[in-house]
Amino acid sequence: MENVEVYRSLIERMLALVDAGTTDSAEAAYRQPTSVYTDPGLLALEKETIFRDEPQMICFSSDLPGKGSYYTFDDLGTPVLLTRDNDGEVHAFLNACTHRSARLKEGCGKTASLACPYHNWGFDLKGKLRAVWQEQTFGSIEKSLYDLVRLPVEEKYGMIFAGMHPDVSFSIDEILGDMAPVFERWDLGGTAHVNTHEWKIKTNWKLALDTFCEGYHFLALHKHTLGGISIGNTAAFDTFGPDGRNHRLAFPNESMLKLRDKPRLEWGPEIFNDFQLVHFIYPNISLLVSPVSVEFFKLYPGDAPGEHRTIFRSYVRKGGEKGWDGNDPQAHFEFICKVVDEEDYWVSANVMKNLNTGLLGYSTFGRNEPALQNMHKAFLRGVGRTPVEAPLAGKAGAAAVSC
Ligand code: FES
Ligand SMILES: [Fe+2]
């Protein structure tokens, strides 16, 4: 199936939802203790389980452009070095020399081999130790025992995922499930990086993530930005991947309404401009794919429950260099930064301040927020806890309980 057929089906669903004055919904509202955002014990558990055991989406193939390119990743405390060898194959290593553990590379770039800055041992791009500097003085060693520490990695559909520990096993096809063919046709590897922005906001990493997972807030919080574009509080919701823990939300734009008067078969690829497509990939990725750009958000826990870090990388898709809605890609990047900064993360940091008072025991996710319900239940399963359906009739301000 071409992606245009995927878009047509989504639009049919969204128009039906708009006409019915509803949205894809959960069976009931779901009430969850706010301790999921404030409990230091849960944060430690999330780091020891979810963030240690799950693969991480690191970058796109275009971030490792061609043979001899390298890319470093330090977002989770494990220093990772990606290389693309002379056969075009991607490798992931601990960014550490096997002599005395010095860091090998910073940033990203191109190199023929990896020379350690400390005592100049040389490794090839496949991680093999090739040269011990001034070997005659060092003494004899079995070089094959000194290859770089290898980490699991896979490149597929233009994305590169890696595990932060040698024991992590995964496959991108399993992560994407039945959404894999759609990702394959997007050709994310053909994108070009535009710019990167980093937020360190005093809020829990899941509170920050929550802002990406519903359209209920669009016409309220974003009334002066997205409010003029989006229909709001309407979304086609789908889950994918293991246990259905990933999700896709398609949010209709006002411009979609004009398609009611046009036969379905005349809807061409341009209909991708009539909605916004947001993907959550467990545990911490939000990926916004549009005809022109791809917005890649990676969210990480901080040292305390009320601290987090988001890294936002903006990419322009092939053919999108002329820009978005008349703006150039840099202007689009700045617009996204402004909306997240002044609206979503502003609200999220204030929620955290209120939760820190200990006076708000529960958060409630409505029927119209099915993605949030699905995602938070997956997080609890991920740390080995059973989601508890808190009674909806209780007082919102009841004391927080652990779940
Ligand atoms: S630590 Fe790398 S050569 Fe010594
Ligand atoms: Fe938002």
Side-chain angles (χ1 to χ4, degrees):
M1 194 198 294
E2 291 299 314
N3 272 359
V4 69
E5 194 49 44
V6 174
Y7 308 151
R8 284 172 180 159
S9 300
L10 279 170
I11 284 178
E12 281 182 326
R13 285 171 58 193
M14 285 185 272
L15 286 176
L17 291 168
V18 171
D19 289 344
T22 187
T23 180
D24 279 349
S25 300
E27 279 182 16
Y30 169 62
R31 199 163 178 243
Q32 153 171 281
T34 54
S35 56
V36 301
Y37 302 115
T38 58
D39 177 5
L42 180 60
L43 178 74
L45 201 54
E46 288 167 345
K47 288 182 180 175
E48 285 161 19
T49 54
I50 293 173
F51 282 94
R52 181 192 177 281
D53 298 338
E54 297 297 338
Q56 288 287 312
M57 189 166 161
I58 308 285
C59 59
F60 294 167
S61 298
S62 53
D63 293 314
L64 269 180
K67 297 167 182 175
S69 53
Y70 67 89
Y71 185 92
T72 60
F73 174 87
D74 294 278
D75 296 352
L76 275 170
T78 301
V80 179
L81 170 63
L82 298 181
T83 63
R84 189 182 297 282
D85 68 23
N86 291 327
D87 301 319
E89 193 183 340
V90 173
H91 304 268
F93 307 108
L94 196 62
N95 192 0
C97 176
T98 47
H99 171 217
R100 293 214 328 256
S101 309
R103 184 178 172 90
L104 290 168
K105 282 287 181 195
E106 295 290 346
C108 58
K110 287 242 182 190
T111 187
S113 62
L114 304 165
C116 178
Y118 202 176
H119 313 95
N120 203 29
W121 281 24
F123 300 84
D124 68 20
L125 298 171
K126 295 178 193 289
K128 292 233 156 286
L129 176 62
R130 291 298 179 197
V132 172
W133 198 46
Q134 299 187 345
E135 191 171 6
Q136 72 282 8
T137 64
F138 190 81
S140 169
I141 59 163
E142 174 51 58
K143 287 200 184 72
S144 65
L145 300 178
Y146 286 82
D147 292 345
L148 298 181
V149 175
R150 192 169 277 279
L151 296 169
V153 68
E154 188 181 13
E155 176 180 41
K156 202 158 192 180
Y157 310 136
M159 298 176 287
I160 298 174
F161 282 72
M164 297 297 105
H165 192 277
D167 296 344
V168 177
S169 78
F170 65 93
S171 94
I172 291 178
D173 276 325
E174 196 184 326
I175 291 167
L176 298 179
D178 56 9
M179 207 68 85
V182 181
F183 274 82
E184 181 177 15
R185 290 189 293 263
W186 272 326
D187 187 22
L188 298 181
T191 56
H193 179 234
V194 175
N195 212 334
T196 296
H197 184 76
E198 180 173 337
W199 285 273
K200 280 186 178 166
I201 305 280
K202 288 203 174 302
T203 191
N204 183 264
W205 69 279
K206 290 172 298 195
L207 270 182
L209 195 49
D210 288 349
T211 64
F212 293 88
C213 301
E214 43 89 2
Y216 187 29
H217 72 282
F218 283 6
L219 298 191
L221 182 63
H222 298 310
K223 63 176 172 286
H224 299 302
T225 49
L226 300 178
I229 301 167
S230 174
I231 286 178
N233 199 21
T234 304
F237 166 65
D238 295 285
T239 61
F240 61 97
D243 224 2
R245 65 191 189 180
N246 303 322
H247 70 244
R248 177 182 70 187
L249 285 164
F251 299 110
N253 291 340
E254 288 281 351
S255 63
M256 183 183 293
L257 300 180
K258 70 181 182 302
L259 295 173
R260 281 178 175 143
D261 305 323
K262 199 170 177 184
R264 184 186 196 277
L265 282 177
E266 290 176 23
W267 297 354
E270 73 285 351
I271 59 174
F272 199 1
N273 288 303
D274 294 319
F275 59 97
Q276 297 163 55
L277 209 47
V278 180
H279 307 77
F280 164 66
I281 298 179
Y282 184 93
N284 62 334
I285 300 300
S286 189
L287 203 60
L288 287 61
V289 183
S290 77
V292 173
S293 63
V294 180
E295 321 302 339
F296 174 26
F297 291 86
K298 305 184 270 187
L299 288 84
Y300 302 105
D303 292 334
E307 295 175 7
H308 107 288
R309 191 160 157 246
T310 292
I311 295 173
F312 163 42
R313 292 176 64 82
S314 183
Y315 295 79
V316 66
R317 301 181 72 198
K318 247 185 221 152
E321 295 82 356
K322 290 203 183 77
W324 173 275
D325 287 353
N327 291 323
D328 66 276
Q330 172 63 22
H332 175 61
F333 164 80
E334 287 168 14
F335 172 73
I336 299 279
C337 287
K338 186 175 159 61
V339 171
V340 173
D341 201 53
E342 296 179 6
E343 298 174 2
D344 295 296
Y345 280 9
W346 168 80
V347 93
S348 187
N350 284 327
V351 171
M352 193 72 216
K353 278 184 199 161
N354 286 333
L355 297 187
N356 284 338
T357 65
L359 298 173
L360 294 155
Y362 297 96
S363 290
T364 306
F365 301 130
R367 289 181 55 239
N368 57 346
E369 299 174 302
L372 284 172
Q373 299 195 19
N374 191 62
M375 182 176 79
H376 279 273
K377 288 174 184 174
F379 288 145
L380 289 174
R381 289 197 305 276
V383 297
R385 296 186 181 182
T386 307
V388 176
E389 305 272 347
L392 285 165
K395 271 178 63 184
V401 295
S402 64
C403 56

